[in-house]
Amino acid sequence: MIEADSDLIVCRRDIALNPVRARMVPAAEEYRWSSDRCNALGLTDPVVGLDQDSGHLGSPGA
């Protein structure tokens, strides 16, 4: 259960890193079906919409 913004950040980070931990890709943003490129790096993708909670994660490089 996610009770705080910090819990959400940890959960989203774990999800984004699953392909890396499974050794499918060297970095989360390289996983084809990951929204990490958009949510973490701020890049655009026609399939991925703006994450409403992205403000909670901070800006790229922060």
Side-chain angles (χ1 to χ4, degrees):
M1 178 190 256
I2 296 175
E3 296 181 358
D5 287 346
S6 59
D7 296 336
L8 177 61
I9 292 169
V10 170
C11 181
R12 290 178 63 188
R13 187 178 304 136
D14 282 345
I15 291 169
L17 290 176
N18 278 338
V20 177
R21 291 184 185 122
R23 299 175 193 236
M24 297 169 66
V25 292
E29 63 270 10
E30 293 184 31
Y31 185 59
R32 181 178 179 179
W33 293 278
S34 176
S35 61
D36 197 54
R37 286 182 300 278
C38 298
N39 294 329
L41 302 178
L43 302 177
T44 59
D45 185 298
V47 177
V48 178
L50 179 62
D51 188 335
Q52 293 175 334
D53 295 322
S54 62
H56 295 290
L57 297 176
S59 59

